[in-house]
Amino acid sequence: MMSPLLPLLSLLVSSLALPFEQRGFLDFSLDIVDGGGSMMMMNDEEGSAIEEETPAPPGPGPVCPFGCHCHLRVVQCSDLGLTSVPKNIPSDTALLDLQNNKITELKENDFKGLHNLYALVLVNNRISKVSGKAFQPLRSLQKLYFSKNLLTEIPQGLPPSLVELRIHENRIKNVRKGAFQGLGSMNCIEMGGNPLENSGFEPGAFDGLKLNYLRISEAKLTGIPKDFPASINELHLDHNQIQAIELEDLIRYKSLYRLGLGYNHIRMIENGSLAFVPNLRELHLDNNRLRKIPANLPDMRYLQVIYLHANNISQVGVNDFCPRGFGVKRAFYNGISLFSNPVNYWEVQPAAFRCVTDRLAIQFGNYKK
């Protein structure tokens, strides 16, 4: 008989599809199996040491909510048409899947007693109201998937243990000051697909966070916000309305190694602006309105991948990508995309790509108006 964990994993992958790989569910489930198996072995050994006692009759097993599947501390209650969080969820539950239902509200006692819950999936419901005490019992919660709901603000009372928050495709227009206060363990926030404008972030909105990953794509940003956590390594602002990269836009983000700005309206990148991100490895500027190669690329010693396709670039200079001297660049390029630009590849001097690992790493192509 096939384990109910397998279809759960496939559902999670399909419903939480993001531009990067979800990690943790399989390893986490295997840990549960191992933990359960070890516990069973301990019980067997303890039982065999007392041969004279008659084994006590087994007590009643844990209750599983009606219609749900419960196995190895995973409770799957997806696609049931639920309008509220079900009762009788086993207290040792580690992963609770409530996606694809019709839940409208999270109340104070909905998760009472679930102190061991590690991951909570609420994707694709109709949740618009969350009690400030709803998450209070969830002392071990690390992953919260809240996408595709009707939230208008970041829920209050998120547990301090939280590491990953996916809250994209809601109706959030404003992020108040201190919205993430007390969430020092938070590492990753995905909040794209919300109607957020630059003015929607109050000063101090991200105070207290030490994020590694932040994505706010498919929003209404017209510039790069300057108040994100300085710790960010990956920042993705694709599919917005950003017009330019100004001199001090990136001054706060010296730890960036991946920056995604594709599918915006960028026409201009001010000279010197990229100098503030000296450790950048990957830069996405595709599908914008650039007319020339950004300045200062030869000075970026660690840049390895740059996407410039689908712009209005008509010329590539011999020193646009590579430094003039040797030893300046610490890592050669392994990816440069220039297709869908009005530049004739046969007019570009081969020396323009002298710091590229392989000719196959350069992507030209036909340009069509």
Side-chain angles (χ1 to χ4, degrees):
M1 181 177 178
M2 183 175 66
S3 168
L5 181 59
L6 296 178
L8 171 60
L9 291 174
S10 63
L11 283 170
L12 288 172
V13 171
S14 62
S15 63
L16 302 175
L18 293 172
F20 59 95
E21 182 182 0
Q22 287 285 345
R23 302 178 185 271
F25 282 103
L26 183 56
D27 295 339
F28 170 65
S29 63
L30 291 176
D31 289 342
I32 296 174
V33 174
D34 181 65
S38 300
M39 185 61 70
M40 289 176 65
M41 289 177 64
M42 289 175 61
N43 290 340
D44 289 342
E45 290 172 2
E46 291 172 1
S48 63
I50 308 175
E51 298 178 358
E52 297 179 0
E53 288 190 10
T54 303
V63 177
C64 188
F66 179 77
C68 302
H69 296 281
C70 301
H71 183 61
L72 296 176
R73 299 176 63 199
V74 175
V75 177
Q76 181 186 356
C77 302
S78 61
D79 301 275
L80 295 177
L82 300 174
T83 57
S84 61
V85 176
K87 306 296 182 183
N88 300 321
I89 299 171
S91 60
D92 66 342
T93 298
L95 191 158
L96 177 58
D97 178 14
L98 294 169
Q99 67 180 313
N100 301 330
N101 281 293
K102 299 177 182 179
I103 299 170
T104 59
E105 181 181 357
L106 298 183
K107 300 177 182 178
E108 179 176 345
N109 294 316
D110 278 349
F111 304 111
K112 186 177 181 179
L114 301 183
H115 305 309
N116 299 306
L117 196 65
Y118 170 85
L120 175 58
V121 184
L122 295 163
V123 176
N124 197 25
N125 276 278
R126 301 174 183 176
I127 300 169
S128 61
K129 186 178 180 181
V130 179
S131 167
K133 297 182 179 180
F135 299 113
Q136 201 168 57
L138 307 182
R139 305 167 188 166
S140 304
L141 191 70
Q142 293 192 28
K143 298 177 182 291
L144 177 57
Y145 300 118
F146 225 139
S147 305
K148 296 185 179 180
N149 277 282
L150 304 176
L151 298 173
T152 57
E153 62 179 0
I154 304 296
Q156 297 184 27
L158 295 173
S161 57
L162 204 60
V163 173
E164 183 177 332
L165 175 64
R166 312 277 179 181
I167 198 165
H168 58 282
E169 293 186 57
N170 276 274
R171 298 180 178 180
I172 299 171
K173 293 184 177 181
N174 179 268
V175 181
R176 57 183 173 76
K177 179 180 180 180
F180 302 102
Q181 200 70 39
L183 301 177
S185 298
M186 186 81 78
N187 181 61
C188 168
I189 295 180
E190 155 68 78
M191 55 189 304
N194 284 289
L196 281 162
E197 301 179 1
N198 286 69
S199 59
F201 298 99
E202 294 184 8
F206 293 89
D207 282 358
L209 288 180
K210 296 180 180 180
L211 292 181
N212 172 269
Y213 182 99
L214 177 62
R215 178 182 291 274
I216 308 179
S217 58
E218 299 178 89
K220 297 183 178 181
L221 302 179
T222 55
I224 299 175
K226 299 179 177 65
D227 198 27
F228 291 151
S231 60
I232 291 177
N233 296 137
E234 290 194 46
L235 177 60
H236 298 270
L237 301 175
D238 46 290
H239 291 273
N240 275 284
Q241 301 166 20
I242 297 173
Q243 308 286 328
I245 301 177
E246 299 179 351
L247 184 60
E248 297 186 356
D249 280 352
L250 301 171
I251 193 170
R252 181 176 171 83
Y253 310 124
K254 293 179 173 61
S255 299
L256 274 182
Y257 63 74
R258 183 174 291 142
L259 175 60
L261 292 168
Y263 290 92
N264 275 281
H265 303 158
I266 299 173
R267 297 178 181 272
M268 184 271 295
I269 299 177
E270 194 168 352
N271 286 351
S273 57
L274 295 178
F276 292 111
V277 284
N279 298 308
L280 203 64
R281 266 72 168 171
E282 188 170 320
L283 177 59
H284 295 242
L285 288 167
D286 55 286
N287 292 277
N288 277 284
R289 300 174 183 177
L290 296 173
R291 294 186 176 275
K292 60 181 182 179
I293 305 295
N296 304 118
L297 291 185
D299 300 325
M300 304 190 72
R301 297 187 295 172
Y302 300 101
L303 188 63
Q304 295 174 278
V305 177
I306 181 166
Y307 292 87
L308 290 166
H309 56 271
N311 277 280
N312 297 317
I313 298 169
S314 59
Q315 184 178 359
V316 177
V318 70
N319 295 312
D320 279 350
F321 290 102
C322 303
R324 296 175 184 271
F326 293 99
V328 176
K329 193 162 180 59
R330 300 293 180 87
F332 278 18
Y333 289 100
N334 54 44
I336 297 177
S337 69
L338 284 163
F339 61 90
S340 296
N341 278 291
V343 57
N344 297 321
Y345 67 89
W346 56 86
E347 296 178 356
V348 180
Q349 296 185 42
F353 304 112
R354 60 190 177 273
C355 58
V356 180
T357 55
D358 192 300
R359 294 291 177 181
L360 296 176
I362 307 165
Q363 299 179 13
F364 275 105
N366 295 328
Y367 175 72
K368 296 181 181 180
K369 292 184 179 180

